[in-house]
Amino acid sequence: MGALVLLLIMIVLVALYVTRSILQIKQGNVAIIERLGRYSRTLNPGLNLIIPFFERVAEDYSLREQTIDIPAQQCQTADGISTSVDAIMYWRIIDAYKAFYSVQSLRESLESLVQTILRDRIGEMALEETFSSRDDINRKVLKEVDQVTSTWGVKVTRVEIQEIKPPEQIAESFNAKKAAVNFAEAARLKAEGQREATETEARGDAEAIRVKAIADAEAMRVLAMELSQGQYSAEALQFLVAQNYLKTSGDISQSSNAKVLFMDPNSLPGAVQGILSMLENNRTLPPEISDGDPKPQNGKQ
């Protein structure tokens, strides 16, 4: 009976020993093993064997990327304004041995390090500059943090400022200034657009006047030629003068400050005859006279 009890005790002890000897590490994790208080090895994911009562798991680390939410802290800017700044940090462990033995309380140390560097970088800038230089601040903080944590077996991948919150009165003043700048810029752009539109319209009007003047000159030249040579030039000219008289009278009557204009229709033939005489004289005079340059007489100037 005693032998049976002893056998059962031995079986229980063996089972307990085997159970404590098998250690399962999850994918993405590693474990630091110490033997009698000293570092022994680092276990990778899967089933691993350890020596019970002599070896223990000192720390189990995840190698996946993790985040630390940096709580808001008061920072003094270069222009003496106290502002609240918070951030978030992305990091991962690349060397579990260094992460465990190089620094105490890894997460707390990372948080304090980022807060210190962030406070120093904010203190180098004026408040208004911090709003427009977030990316630059992020890069500077990341570079400095990465230099320190490289000896901790940690890789910091990103540091991002979440919010820069100045005092309420300062924020209102800053927003009012920004709104004024935006309004002034909008007014400048509007004035510039109106000026360009006016210049474009003026150029268009000038071009239209030039084209119309050329067309009118050509029409007058052709008309003069036809009237000076045509068989019914007097009748045609009389018709044109009468037509222009009627159009002009209609325009005057529709004007807001219209005046009464009388013209004797019987005077139209005389006006037409005078125009024809001018055309005829211009056609028959020698070129040197019609051009207004008198011909020298007796060889004298």
Side-chain angles (χ1 to χ4, degrees), residues 13-27:
L13 290 175
V14 170
L16 181 62
Y17 182 86
V18 171
T19 301
R20 294 180 62 90
S21 299
I22 300 175
L23 181 63
Q24 182 179 0
I25 307 298
K26 297 186 295 183
Q27 182 67 35

Side-chain angles (χ1 to χ4, degrees), residues 183-201 203:
F183 179 79
E185 179 65 13
R188 186 187 68 80
L189 293 176
K190 181 179 179 181
E192 184 176 346
Q194 292 177 344
R195 179 181 60 80
E196 291 180 355
T198 302
E199 291 178 355
T200 302
E201 183 179 0
R203 286 194 295 268

Side-chain angles (χ1 to χ4, degrees), residues 241 245 261-268 271:
V241 172
Y245 166 73
L261 178 64
F262 294 98
M263 182 175 179
D264 185 6
N266 295 325
S267 63
L268 290 178

Side-chain angles (χ1 to χ4, degrees), residues 191-231:
E192 184 176 346
Q194 292 177 344
R195 179 181 60 80
E196 291 180 355
T198 302
E199 291 178 355
T200 302
E201 183 179 0
R203 286 194 295 268
D205 292 344
E207 180 64 17
I209 293 173
R210 188 185 69 83
V211 172
K212 185 176 184 303
I214 294 175
D216 290 344
E218 180 64 18
M220 291 176 65
R221 187 186 67 80
V222 174
L223 178 61
M225 183 181 297
E226 292 297 328
L227 289 177
S228 64
Q229 298 176 358
Q231 180 179 1

